[in-house]
Structures are given as structure tokens and as C-alpha cells.
């Protein structure tokens, strides 16, 4: 395959069979996924250099095209924005199969948002890239169990793939299969999945075992499979068990920090609100601003009035 694009994604299989008298078959498969990282940091649009107390901050974070779509997060002064402050949109897909993510941030500026007169807003884009490792495949018949190698299991186990343990050499209808799948050590931990005859197992047959933790912080995930053997589990007198481990690599890209300042008037002025009528909303007419000189003049007048009494 000289070149690849998003249409190249999928599962590729190869099968080789020998001739008589053995007629043995060796099969292999690999899943191909196409990943495209964003070419630039996420961008912030709609911002202003200054915001007053009570003013609406309404900004948008836009990621560069990627595959899969980036997950966006907003941060205000280093703290992640709450759900009621953000609005999510469906990623937009381009004709070439790349996605642009958009996340809106809306909140009213408060005094606590400003530290020394400044507020910092930042956006983060997260890309998760996953790849799957497959275990050996165990083929169970009514009276024998074959496992572990390509010559008899049909599938070749992958390097660093998960391993299957437990079980026995023979199962009959009505018996209980109780086996474990253990992933190779990794960080973050692998996500495990069980398959019976290439069909993913339902949750009611899964047993979540405690993970194996290592001193360097790596973890081996363990997932059990327990079910009662039914006649439907056998296809051509065989039942095939397989486990896969999905490993994810997380990439993060952060926008340039956006620092906005409190409005200059509100930095130096004292704002006093007067309610014209009790219980009614304050209107623009009833709101006045007094600077420091106004306050001194008012205090001086009050002092003179008190002295004349």
C-alpha cells in the first residue's frame, strides 16, 4: 500500500491454507486506523482586551482539523470551566475526513475572576489515539482444546498482546467457562474486550478483576470471562475465545493564554447602586459612579452639616 488516507481504515485479513493431507489454515488480521494531529494550537475568537464587572464574556475555542475530533476544554485562571459555562457543538467534518471542534465559553465577569486586575483564559485540545493488540485465540471443541500457536489456533498472537489464563482442556454444554485476560503493563491502562466466535461478549458475562500495579506506575488490566456453555456457542463443533487490549495515547495542545484586564474605569472607581423603589430592578438611571474626589466632597459636606448642628 504505497499511500494511505482516511478511506484506508479498516481490518485487513490474510489467510493461508496448506494442501492435502493436513489442510491446515493460518489466519492473521490487523486493524488500521488513520490519525491526523492538529497542525496548530487551538485558537480563541471573540475576545476583548477589557471586561467590566457584570459584563458577558463570550468567546469561542476552535481546534485545527484533526482525526479523530479533538476534545476541547476551557480554563479560567487555571481552573476548568463548569458545564453551565460552556456550550458544545458537533465537530464539523471536512471533505477529506478531518474534524474541527468548537467549544463556546459564556459567563459574566466577577470580581473574583480578576487577580491584580487581570483574568487568564485558556483552551486545551485533547486527541486520543488508540491501537488494539489481540491475544492468542483459543479454539475449544466438545472434547479437545487447542490454543496458543498459529499452526493450531488459526490466529497468531501479537507481540505485547494480552494473555489468556485459566480454563481447562474440555468443555461440555452446561459447564462453566471461567478464564482471565491480562494485558501487558502500560500507562495509561489498556482497555480489554472479550470475544466469543468473533462476537463481543456482553457485560453480564464479564468479571472485572483488580488490576496489577507496578512500582513504576504502570498497570496490567485484568478482565475475567465467566459463562455457561450453550449449544449455540459451538459452530461446526468449535467455540473460539479471543481477547483484545486497546491502548490509548493522549496528546494535548493548549492555546496561547488570553489575558484580559478589568475595565480601566472599574479599576479606579467606586460604583454605588441606588434602588429607586424597593423590590424593583435597578435601572441605568438609578446607577451612578463616584470617583475618589466625589467621595471626599460628600464626606466634607456631611462633616460641615454635622458641625453646624
Amino acid at each position: 500500500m504505497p499511500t494511505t488516507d482516511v478511506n484506508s481504515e479498516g481490518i485487513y485479513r490474510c489467510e493461508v491454507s496448506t494442501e492435502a493431507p493436513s489442510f491446515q489454515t493460518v489466519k492473521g488480521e490487523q486493524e488500521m486506523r488513520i490519525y491526523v494531529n492538529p497542525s496548530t494550537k487551538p485558537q480563541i475568537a471573540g475576545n476583548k482586551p477589557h471586561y467590566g464587572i457584570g459584563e458577558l464574556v463570550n468567546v469561542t475555542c476552535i481546534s485545527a482539523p484533526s482525526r479523530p475530533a479533538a476534545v476541547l476544554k476551557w480554563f479560567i485562571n487555571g481552573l476548568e470551566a463548569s458545564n453551565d459555562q460552556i456550550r458544545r457543538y458537533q465537530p464539523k467534518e471536512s471533505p477529506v475526513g478531518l474534524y474541527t471542534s468548537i467549544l463556546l465559553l459564556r459567563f459574566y465577569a466577577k470580581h473574583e475572576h480578576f487577580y491584580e486586575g487581570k483574568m487568564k483564559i485558556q483552551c486545551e485540545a485533547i486527541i486520543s489515539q488508540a491501537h488494539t493488540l489481540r491475544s492468542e485465540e483459543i479454539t475449544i471443541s466438545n472434547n479437545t482444546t487447542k490454543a496458543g500457536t498459529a499452526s493450531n489456533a488459526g490466529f497468531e498472537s501479537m507481540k505485547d498482546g494480552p494473555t489468556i489464563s485459566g480454563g481447562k482442556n474440555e468443555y461440555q454444554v452446561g459447564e462453566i467457562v471461567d478464564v482471565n485476560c491480562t494485558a501487558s503493563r502500560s500507562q495509561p491502562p489498556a482497555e480489554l474486550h472479550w470475544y466469543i466466535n468473533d462476537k463481543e461478549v456482553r457485560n453480564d458475562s464479564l468479571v472485572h478483576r483488580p488490576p496489577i500495579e507496578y512500582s513504576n506506575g504502570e498497570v496490567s488490566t485484568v478482565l475475567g470471562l465467566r459463562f455457561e456453555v450453550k449449544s449455540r456457542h459451538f459452530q461446526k463443533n468449535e467455540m473460539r475465545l479471543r481477547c483484545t487490549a486497546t491502548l490509548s495515547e493522549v496528546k494535548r495542545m493548549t492555546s496561547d493564554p488570553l489575558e484580559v484586564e478589568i475595565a480601566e474605569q472599574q479599576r479606579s472607581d467606586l460604583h454605588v447602586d441606588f434602588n429607586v423603589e424597593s423590590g424593583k430592578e435597578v435601572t441605568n438611571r438609578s446607577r451612578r459612579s463616584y470617583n475618589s474626589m466625589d467621595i471626599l466632597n460628600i464626606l466634607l459636606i456631611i462633616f460641615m452639616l454635622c458641625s453646624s448642628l
Side-chain angles (χ1 to χ4, degrees):
M1 186 178 294
T3 59
T4 58
D5 56 26
V6 295
N7 297 317
S8 303
E9 282 193 336
I11 297 177
Y12 291 79
R13 295 184 176 90
C14 179
E15 181 176 311
V16 179
S17 300
T18 62
E19 297 181 352
S22 61
F23 295 105
Q24 289 186 336
T25 299
V26 178
K27 296 180 289 185
E29 68 176 33
Q30 287 277 7
E31 181 181 13
M32 178 185 289
R33 295 186 182 183
I34 304 298
Y35 296 103
V36 180
N37 289 325
S39 58
T40 61
K41 300 176 181 179
Q43 302 297 313
I44 298 176
N47 58 289
K48 301 194 305 182
H50 303 280
Y51 287 94
I53 302 301
E55 189 174 356
L56 177 64
V57 179
N58 188 355
V59 290
T60 304
C61 178
I62 305 172
S63 72
S66 64
R67 185 179 181 91
V71 176
L72 300 180
K73 292 184 178 182
W74 273 110
F75 293 87
I76 305 172
N77 296 325
L79 299 177
E80 186 173 353
S82 58
N83 287 332
D84 60 345
Q85 294 176 321
I86 61 176
R87 180 179 298 175
R88 300 187 183 278
Y89 295 92
Q90 281 293 109
K92 296 182 179 180
E93 184 177 5
S94 70
V96 296
L98 303 184
Y99 296 90
T100 298
S101 298
I102 301 174
L103 185 64
L104 185 69
L105 175 66
R106 287 171 56 93
F107 67 97
Y108 289 94
K110 299 179 181 179
H111 281 289
E112 55 264 31
H113 289 139
F114 295 93
Y115 177 72
E116 295 183 349
K118 293 184 178 181
M119 171 173 56
K120 186 171 75 172
I121 302 174
Q122 210 161 12
C123 175
E124 182 181 62
I126 303 172
I127 303 292
S128 179
Q129 299 181 354
H131 64 279
T132 300
L133 299 174
R134 187 186 58 251
S135 72
E136 60 186 2
E137 183 172 279
I138 296 179
T139 303
I140 300 173
S141 66
N142 288 333
N143 52 17
T144 60
T145 300
K146 301 176 293 181
T149 64
S151 61
N152 55 22
F155 277 89
E156 184 179 0
S157 60
M158 300 177 65
K159 181 182 178 181
D160 297 327
T163 57
I164 298 175
S165 60
K168 59 180 185 176
N169 295 330
E170 181 178 340
Y171 286 97
Q172 301 295 329
V173 173
E175 291 188 300
I176 301 298
V177 175
D178 192 353
V179 291
N180 289 321
C181 177
T182 304
S184 298
R185 51 202 295 175
S186 64
Q187 187 56 250
E191 181 180 332
L192 297 177
H193 299 269
W194 272 106
Y195 295 84
I196 301 176
N197 299 326
D198 295 327
K199 184 177 181 180
E200 187 168 2
V201 176
R202 297 180 303 181
N203 287 331
D204 55 4
S205 297
L206 301 178
V207 182
H208 295 275
R209 311 286 190 191
I212 303 172
E213 299 180 354
Y214 301 93
S215 58
N216 64 352
E218 293 182 325
V219 174
S220 288
T221 310
V222 183
L223 183 63
L225 173 64
R226 180 181 172 86
F227 65 97
E228 181 181 346
V229 177
K230 306 288 186 182
S231 57
R232 58 181 170 82
H233 289 136
F234 291 99
Q235 299 177 355
K236 297 181 180 180
N237 297 321
E238 289 185 339
M239 173 174 57
R240 292 177 290 112
L241 304 181
R242 178 163 52 93
C243 176
T244 63
T246 301
L247 298 172
S248 297
E249 180 182 357
V250 177
K251 296 182 179 294
R252 299 175 183 269
M253 300 183 72
T254 306
S255 69
D256 293 328
L258 171 65
E259 288 193 350
V260 297
E261 297 183 350
I262 191 171
E264 187 64 30
Q265 181 183 7
Q266 294 189 344
R267 185 191 297 268
S268 59
D269 290 0
L270 171 65
H271 290 262
V272 182
D273 289 338
F274 294 94
N275 284 325
V276 178
E277 295 182 18
S278 177
K280 291 188 177 181
E281 183 180 357
V282 178
T283 64
N284 289 333
R285 290 184 179 180
S286 63
R287 178 173 295 172
R288 297 179 58 189
S289 296
Y290 294 86
N291 58 31
S292 56
M293 291 302 298
D294 291 332
I295 298 298
L296 289 175
N297 289 332
I298 292 173
L299 292 175
L300 180 59
I301 293 173
I302 294 174
F303 176 78
M304 293 176 64
L305 289 174
C306 292
S307 300
S308 63
L309 294 178

